[in-house]
Amino acid sequence: AVMVIIQVRQKRTIAALKITNDLRAALLSSEQSFKQLLELIPQMVMTMDKAGDMTWVNQQTLDYIGVPPQASQLNFNWTRAARHPDDSDRVTTFMKQAMGNTNISPPFEQRLRQHDGEYRWFLSQITPILDNQGQLTRWLGTCTDIHDQKLAVASPKNGSHWPAHWRDGPRF
């Protein structure tokens, strides 16, 4: 009877280990798929810890700021330094307020400096990532380039800022 109990326990342990390994593999696969998706979208995407310090950025972000993918260190808080001086106080205040709760922030506009020193307009947003108990684990942020649209709105009589397919209308 003792031998049967040991065998049952061993089988349960083996089964539990297999389930644990299967769950780890599924989680890893899911995370890899999620990161691949974030690399495909035409936005800068970043994750931040609870305090708002960046922990990961996608390749689009690295390309914008001019950091080679093989760089061993990246100051993930580049957005603070890259913000246009006229936007800095407003955006910093907004971010502190947004991170003071666990709601999805409304989108906000800011200008960010790219690797060549040019500032471009972005529509940015942050959203909290919560665990099963509703506790904040990290933040997910996006920055969508809206520079061309801002220029077009600023000078509506100058249609040259619009792409040709927008200026000329649909072709059937």
Side-chain angles (χ1 to χ4, degrees):
V2 172
M3 190 175 204
V4 171
I5 292 172
I6 291 172
Q7 286 179 341
V8 168
R9 285 185 183 162
Q10 286 175 340
K11 286 182 182 179
R12 284 184 186 162
T13 301
I14 291 169
L17 287 174
K18 182 175 178 356
I19 290 170
T20 302
N21 288 338
D22 290 349
L23 289 173
R24 279 192 190 124
L27 183 60
L28 181 60
S29 175
S30 176
E31 185 175 342
Q32 288 171 339
S33 295
F34 181 66
K35 284 189 176 179
Q36 285 174 333
L37 173 66
L38 295 179
E39 294 295 349
L40 289 174
I41 62 175
Q43 290 180 303
M44 292 193 293
V45 181
M46 65 272 327
T47 59
M48 298 159 279
D49 64 18
K50 293 177 187 181
D53 293 324
M54 289 190 198
T55 56
W56 178 84
V57 296
N58 68 346
Q59 186 62 46
Q60 178 121 349
T61 306
L62 294 173
D63 293 344
Y64 184 80
I65 61 177
V67 175
Q70 68 274 15
S72 61
Q73 289 190 333
L74 170 64
N75 177 3
F76 281 117
N77 297 314
W78 64 272
T79 54
R80 291 180 187 133
R83 265 189 212 121
H84 192 282
D86 294 344
D87 299 340
S88 187
D89 290 342
R90 174 183 54 81
V91 172
T92 299
T93 299
F94 179 86
M95 292 289 288
K96 285 180 182 175
Q97 290 172 348
M99 290 183 156
N101 63 60
T102 54
N103 297 321
I104 296 173
S105 78
F108 58 95
E109 294 180 357
Q110 63 178 327
R111 288 167 285 184
L112 297 173
R113 186 179 57 246
Q114 63 184 13
H115 61 87
D116 64 1
E118 178 188 349
Y119 284 95
R120 294 186 61 84
W121 280 101
F122 285 87
L123 183 66
S124 302
Q125 189 167 15
I126 60 171
T127 187
I129 306 297
L130 307 175
D131 65 16
N132 291 340
Q133 287 77 40
Q135 299 299 310
L136 177 68
T137 62
R138 64 183 182 265
W139 294 92
L140 177 66
T142 60
C143 296
T144 304
D145 189 325
I146 59 168
H147 191 76
D148 293 336
Q149 291 92 325
K150 291 286 280 190
L151 291 179
V153 168
S155 58
K157 293 180 182 177
N158 183 357
S160 63
H161 292 296
W162 291 97
H165 65 279
W166 289 359
R167 279 195 318 265
D168 302 339
R171 293 190 178 107
F172 298 101

